[in-house]
Amino acid sequence: QVQVVESGGGLVQPGGSLRLSCAASGFTRDYGAIGWFRQAPGKEREGVSCIDFKDGSLYYADSVKGRFTISRDNVKNTVYLQMNSLKPEDTAVYYCAAALLLHPIRALIGKEYDYWGQGTQVTVSS
């Protein structure tokens, strides 16, 4: 049984940083991917970033390029999302999700993912 659990959300001032963690249990495949998504109140879910386990490819939404970095710790089976230069518009519930097989062209499409975490709140405010 695959489980993904997010942690690391919180309140941060604009310009600050946070690191989110996604611990994946039962998911040690060489294929597949872990993605980060977010949903702000009244808005649709948005794909933020993804790491493809097959070849290590990284994907980012245009809105976070240059500010967010996704990485993986193979020993801990954990994927991180380092978020720098945070803006109020980054405020959302952030979700981690696991895909058993990733189609790169659809890397940031939520429907491609099979298992989802419960979400962690990120609030950027002064």
Side-chain angles (χ1 to χ4, degrees), residues 40-110:
K43 294 189 177 182
E44 293 187 356
R45 183 177 61 196
E46 174 189 17
V48 175
S49 183
C50 163
I51 180 167
D52 186 342
F53 291 170
K54 184 173 65 177
D55 60 9
S57 294
L58 308 179
Y59 301 87
Y60 295 98
D62 288 343
S63 58
V64 306
K65 280 181 183 176
R67 300 188 298 122
F68 290 11
T69 303
I70 192 169
S71 62
R72 180 188 183 191
D73 184 325
N74 291 334
V75 174
K76 295 183 178 179
N77 232 21
T78 298
V79 171
Y80 302 101
L81 185 68
Q82 178 67 43
M83 306 186 296
N84 298 329
S85 302
L86 283 162
K87 305 175 182 179
E89 51 263 44
D90 294 316
T91 295
V93 177
Y94 282 70
Y95 298 91
C96 158
L100 298 178
L101 181 64
L102 183 71
H103 301 282
I105 198 170
R106 296 173 61 79
L108 296 182
I109 304 298

Side-chain angles (χ1 to χ4, degrees), residues 4-12 18-23 35-41 48 68 79-81 83 86 90-97 116-124:
V4 289
V5 179
E6 311 92 338
S7 61
L11 173 64
V12 64
L18 278 177
R19 188 178 78 161
L20 304 183
S21 299
C22 174
W36 286 98
F37 296 80
R38 67 186 181 185
Q39 188 164 22
V48 175
F68 290 11
V79 171
Y80 302 101
L81 185 68
M83 306 186 296
L86 283 162
D90 294 316
T91 295
V93 177
Y94 282 70
Y95 298 91
C96 158
W116 290 80
Q118 80 287 353
T120 185
Q121 177 70 46
V122 171
T123 302
V124 185

